Amino acid sequence: MNSSVIAVLRRVDIFAGLNDLELSQIAQLCKVAKAKKGQIIFREDSDGDDLYVVHDGAVEIQVQTRGSDGQSRLSTINTAYEGQAFGEIAMLGGGSRSATAVASMNPTTLLVINGPELSALCDTNTAIGYRIMRNFINDMIYKLRSASLLLRGHIKWQDNQLSQIE
């Protein structure tokens, strides 16, 4: 297996604690995809169960927001760089994508891991499955706390009720 793929996977938080043999099993599931700057990798509300890892380049994670003028627009909430994963929420929870992913550098190279194949590997090798699921939980907790802090910055208590800060 390509040592550069394993080197990138080694940096991915959800694969933390896995040894090189375990990472090579994950690397075998990886398919390589190239994207040009501005190319949409997936759209918010679309179906999908693949997990993406940035091999090189960068990907902006965007969500639909509504401005004070009432107009809907895409707003970047995060940027994933080399060694960072995205797409895990739809992979784990099923359902549709919670955000749009757009390549923000030219070129951007992605490792694409099919969700059902990764789940099968986790079922077959429970040591890998335990570590990945534990890391997923830690990642989701971090994202939930971050979202909670962001939300707190946009709301206030007024007459014992929540209201939007104007």
Side-chain angles (χ1 to χ4, degrees):
M1 182 48 49
N2 188 333
S3 60
S4 72
V5 170
I6 293 173
V8 170
L9 292 176
R10 192 177 293 123
R11 296 179 58 199
V12 178
D13 288 343
I14 60 173
F15 301 134
L18 298 178
N19 62 41
D20 283 354
L21 178 61
E22 293 165 330
L23 289 172
S24 71
Q25 292 177 60
I26 294 167
Q28 291 175 13
L29 303 178
C30 293
K31 298 195 176 25
V32 176
K34 299 271 189 186
K36 295 178 182 175
K37 184 176 182 175
Q39 182 177 336
I40 295 173
I41 297 154
F42 56 74
R43 290 186 187 279
E44 186 174 356
D45 294 326
S46 65
D47 291 332
D49 56 13
D50 290 338
L51 174 69
Y52 295 83
V53 174
V54 179
H55 186 282
D56 58 64
V59 174
E60 290 183 1
I61 307 303
Q62 304 174 341
V63 294
Q64 285 288 336
T65 60
R66 188 172 313 273
S68 58
D69 60 0
Q71 296 296 313
S72 180
R73 64 182 60 88
L74 283 174
S75 297
T76 299
I77 59 169
N78 194 18
T79 302
Y81 297 99
E82 181 181 330
Q84 293 183 306
F86 61 96
E88 70 282 358
I89 293 174
M91 186 190 86
L92 286 174
S96 59
R97 298 287 184 182
S98 60
T100 296
V102 180
S104 60
M105 291 181 71
N106 198 24
T108 293
T109 305
L110 304 169
L111 304 176
V112 184
I113 304 172
N114 178 271
E117 289 178 6
L118 182 60
S119 292
L121 174 63
C122 291
D123 289 343
T124 303
N125 187 325
T126 55
I128 291 175
Y130 171 79
R131 179 65 67 187
I132 289 174
M133 290 306 134
R134 185 171 179 212
N135 292 337
F136 269 135
I137 289 168
N138 288 334
D139 185 57
M140 291 296 115
I141 289 169
Y142 171 78
K143 289 176 179 170
L144 181 59
R145 285 184 177 148
S146 296
S148 178
L149 289 172
L150 183 63
L151 179 62
R152 287 180 192 190
H154 291 348
I155 58 175
K156 65 179 178 178
W157 282 101
Q158 190 172 59
D159 299 324
N160 291 324
Q161 294 184 11
L162 288 176
S163 66
Q164 188 172 349
I165 294 177
E166 311 230 359

